[in-house]
Amino acid sequence: MRTVFNYRKALREPKKVQQLTASYSLPIPFELIPVINFFIFMTMTFLIGQIIRMGFPHTFERTFVMWLIGLPLALTILVTKIKPEGKNIYLYFLDVAKYYVQIKLPKKRFCNDREVEWMSASTIQFKRCVKVVAKKREYIENTNENDEEQSTVNENGRRVGVLPNQESVHSHAK
């Protein structure tokens, strides 16, 4: 009997950081992606804070630590928790950008998951409806009214008719 093992959980385990140098390690491991996100957000908020302080020098005098640590930590937690369509938020935005550049901007059209190249932006116009007439140019209501059950010809010269084994259909029936 075969035993099937599911390694999905083990292979999807996120990378963790605990050993920083050869002589120093952290007491608990931290996931690598949230740590990188935190430092990226911390750098961004520090630069934005410096730009704001150039215009208003007394801004963030007492709340600079909260601005520099609290906001990046909140953003890191938010980015970790948000998973649109079950994906990482960065991969989701990358897919949205690809869709916009490859499909939306060129205005591609699809039918049954295949690109339709022959469609144009022009509108579709149908011919006007025509009445069915007999060969003698007499107007009839149904195509199978005559006794000979011959096919009748419409105004465009196309033969139309009803097979003899079909019942007549009333055009104004409800």
Side-chain angles (χ1 to χ4, degrees), residues 99-162:
Y99 167 77
Y100 187 74
V101 170
Q102 293 176 352
I103 295 173
K104 192 71 173 174
L105 286 179
K107 295 183 180 177
K108 292 184 180 179
R109 296 172 189 241
F110 290 89
C111 179
N112 292 332
D113 292 335
R114 292 185 182 159
E115 183 179 355
V116 180
E117 297 175 1
W118 51 267
M119 283 185 73
S120 63
S122 64
T123 58
I124 298 172
Q125 294 181 354
F126 296 98
K127 291 183 180 179
R128 294 189 61 162
C129 293
V130 293
K131 290 184 180 179
V132 177
V133 295
K135 286 185 179 181
K136 300 175 187 173
R137 297 289 191 207
E138 297 174 2
Y139 289 101
I140 58 174
E141 292 181 12
N142 292 320
T143 57
N144 64 347
E145 280 182 356
N146 50 1
D147 294 335
E148 298 93 25
E149 293 187 3
Q150 297 175 350
S151 60
T152 57
V153 179
N154 66 6
E155 291 179 355
N156 294 331
R158 185 173 176 190
R159 291 183 179 183
V160 293
V162 177

Side-chain angles (χ1 to χ4, degrees), residues 30-43:
F30 291 101
E31 290 184 19
L32 183 62
I33 300 298
V35 169
I36 292 172
N37 285 341
F38 175 75
F39 285 117
I40 289 172
F41 289 139
M42 192 166 93
T43 305

Side-chain angles (χ1 to χ4, degrees), residues 57-124:
H58 300 293
T59 308
F60 306 123
E61 281 184 354
R62 297 183 183 162
T63 60
F64 196 70
V65 173
M66 201 59 185
W67 172 263
L68 194 60
I69 303 291
L71 185 62
L73 189 61
L75 289 173
T76 302
I77 292 170
L78 185 70
V79 165
T80 305
K81 295 292 180 189
I82 294 177
K83 296 207 180 281
E85 296 181 9
K87 296 181 181 179
N88 184 341
I89 195 162
Y90 299 118
L91 296 177
Y92 176 76
F93 283 131
L94 181 67
D95 287 345
V96 168
K98 277 186 196 175
Y99 167 77
Y100 187 74
V101 170
Q102 293 176 352
I103 295 173
K104 192 71 173 174
L105 286 179
K107 295 183 180 177
K108 292 184 180 179
R109 296 172 189 241
F110 290 89
C111 179
N112 292 332
D113 292 335
R114 292 185 182 159
E115 183 179 355
V116 180
E117 297 175 1
W118 51 267
M119 283 185 73
S120 63
S122 64
T123 58
I124 298 172

